[in-house]
Amino acid sequence: MATSSFAFFSLYSTTKCSSLRENDPKSNKSSVKVNGTSIHELSKFSIRTSPAFTSVASVIEDLMVEKNRQNIPTEKRMVDPFRQGLIVEGGVGYRQTITVRSYEIGPDKTATLETLFNLLQETALNHVWMSGLLGDGFGATHGMIKNNLIWVVTRMHVQIDEYPIWGEVVEIETWVGSSGKNGMRRDWLIRSHLSGHVFARATSTWVMMNQETRRLSKMPQEVRDEISPWYIEKQAIIEDIPEKIIKLDNKAKYVDSNLKPKRSDMDMNNHVNNVKYVKWMLETIPVSFLEEHQLGSIILEYRRECGSSDIVESICEPDEKQDDDDD
């Protein structure tokens, strides 16, 4: 089975999102009508409020219950027996052991690319969870919550030598490092628990976004002070000169239009989760090609967030010359 690189697929060139509806006056508004009864007559009736009208005290109580259910640590933990994770690399890296489940594999009984991306995301969040820095956001630290900031990924590069099979026990190791003045790099290694053989490696770049304005933000000093002690100066993938991704248009060979984000595509930051883009892109590739090739490398560049009201287009253009060389 030939192995080819899919570096020409990117969120800049193969997945397009229309502009966000940030200023739509009709969005996020609702109205309530009580059978035409005037406000002065409401005192005559007993009104049962819906969950949308619960008291502030009730909301705070619900949040406390939720936080207790999550059991978010307030200080650093070295071992997590429930997640089968532990802190490594001198107290700043993270390693987690997982078993590939039946619903995480494809027709060939190996873990899908979407599964691998989900595992990368999960271990990254668990790393922050064990650090004691996690606030109540999607991997956001206490300083980020204070400044109304969230993490967004701008670039992902994954290299896969071999896909784990169903039932295989693998170890995923992850760590962070600096990336410029306002970014953070996160790397991963996925290896066999039995032999130590490396299945895949990945590197990514993350920046901060203001949750209200949806604009990228500089890293506040208090956030830098939180995360910089966790930095490790090593890389899973050495990228001396990042590969340039060619922008595609509607003249490409394969185009999948009118893709609409579903509720299941959204994450707690209220935008399409980065893993969902991978699925959209792979669905555009012809089945005949996927049956004869195995994806060995993918580079993604995230240029704009995608919301529930956006229409997405996935565009694919094979590199015919490279395919001939691989075959």
Side-chain angles (χ1 to χ4, degrees):
M1 180 178 288
T3 301
S4 62
S5 170
F6 279 72
F8 51 85
F9 292 109
S10 74
L11 298 193
Y12 177 74
S13 60
T14 63
T15 305
K16 297 180 179 179
C17 294
S18 60
S19 60
L20 296 174
R21 277 61 169 176
E22 295 178 354
N23 300 317
D24 187 352
K26 297 181 181 180
S27 63
N28 298 323
K29 291 186 177 180
S30 60
S31 60
V32 178
K33 196 172 184 179
V34 190
N35 295 328
T37 305
S38 70
I39 189 66
H40 302 291
E41 295 176 306
L42 291 180
S43 58
K44 301 177 182 178
F45 303 95
S46 174
I47 300 177
R48 185 177 181 181
T49 60
S50 68
F53 296 93
T54 52
S55 66
V56 175
S58 177
V59 171
I60 295 176
E61 182 180 357
D62 289 343
L63 290 174
M64 292 302 296
V65 170
E66 181 179 336
K67 196 162 187 177
N68 288 334
R69 287 175 61 188
Q70 289 178 303
N71 194 26
I72 298 176
T74 56
E75 57 185 22
K76 179 179 178 181
R77 291 187 181 181
M78 298 300 294
V79 180
D80 180 5
F82 299 105
R83 289 174 173 82
Q84 292 187 298
L86 67 156
I87 295 296
V88 295
E89 291 282 356
V92 291
Y94 177 74
R95 182 188 301 150
Q96 183 171 336
T97 303
I98 66 100
T99 302
V100 179
R101 299 170 176 85
S102 60
Y103 54 82
E104 297 173 324
I105 63 174
D108 59 355
K109 297 182 181 179
T110 66
T112 65
L113 183 64
E114 190 175 1
T115 290
L116 295 184
F117 269 79
N118 278 322
L119 290 175
L120 298 181
Q121 177 175 273
E122 180 68 12
T123 51
L125 291 171
N126 289 343
H127 185 194
V128 184
W129 189 92
M130 287 191 66
S131 71
L133 298 176
L134 182 63
D136 58 356
F138 204 36
T141 66
H142 297 289
M144 291 175 65
I145 297 297
K146 180 180 177 181
N147 289 275
N148 202 27
L149 299 173
I150 59 175
W151 285 115
V152 290
V153 59
T154 59
R155 192 172 189 273
M156 287 281 293
H157 184 183
V158 181
Q159 293 179 350
I160 305 167
D161 296 328
E162 185 178 355
Y163 287 79
I165 62 175
W166 173 36
E168 188 158 24
V169 181
V170 301
E171 292 179 348
I172 304 177
E173 189 169 328
T174 185
W175 63 93
V176 294
S178 62
S179 178
K181 293 182 179 180
N182 295 298
M184 183 184 75
R185 191 193 74 251
R186 177 173 286 279
D187 290 30
W188 295 265
L189 285 177
I190 301 179
R191 58 166 63 93
S192 166
H193 176 72
L194 181 64
S195 66
H197 171 71
V198 176
F199 292 130
R201 59 189 71 240
T203 187
S204 61
T205 305
W206 299 74
V207 294
M208 295 181 184
M209 172 187 286
N210 186 286
Q211 195 166 14
E212 290 185 357
T213 66
R214 313 308 284 186
R215 295 182 180 275
L216 298 185
S217 171
K218 292 183 178 180
M219 184 182 295
Q221 186 59 45
E222 63 180 309
V223 177
R224 193 184 310 277
D225 292 341
E226 284 179 319
I227 64 177
S228 59
W230 293 82
Y231 286 171
I232 298 178
E233 294 302 321
K234 73 171 185 176
Q235 294 175 269
I237 300 176
I238 305 299
E239 297 181 307
D240 295 329
I241 302 178
E243 185 173 348
K244 185 177 181 180
I245 300 178
I246 301 173
K247 184 178 180 179
L248 303 179
D249 55 33
N250 288 336
K251 296 179 182 179
K253 191 171 183 178
Y254 304 105
V255 179
D256 194 357
S257 303
N258 296 319
L259 298 171
K260 298 181 180 180
K262 301 175 182 178
R263 290 184 61 185
S264 59
D265 296 329
M266 313 301 287
D267 61 24
M268 68 174 70
N269 286 331
N270 202 32
H271 59 208
V272 173
N273 187 270
N274 69 86
V275 180
K276 299 298 180 179
Y277 294 100
V278 177
K279 183 176 181 179
W280 282 335
M281 288 188 289
L282 294 183
E283 288 293 334
T284 312
I285 303 173
V287 175
S288 58
F289 186 88
L290 293 175
E291 290 176 345
E292 297 178 359
H293 298 75
Q294 189 174 64
L295 188 145
S297 175
I298 183 169
I299 299 175
L300 304 101
E301 293 183 357
Y302 299 85
R303 300 297 180 89
R304 184 187 300 174
E305 69 171 341
C306 183
S308 59
S309 60
D310 290 308
I311 306 299
V312 181
E313 190 172 60
S314 182
I315 305 172
C316 171
E317 180 66 42
D319 188 337
E320 304 291 353
K321 182 179 181 301
Q322 180 173 318
D323 294 340
D324 293 338
D325 293 340
D326 289 334
D327 290 338

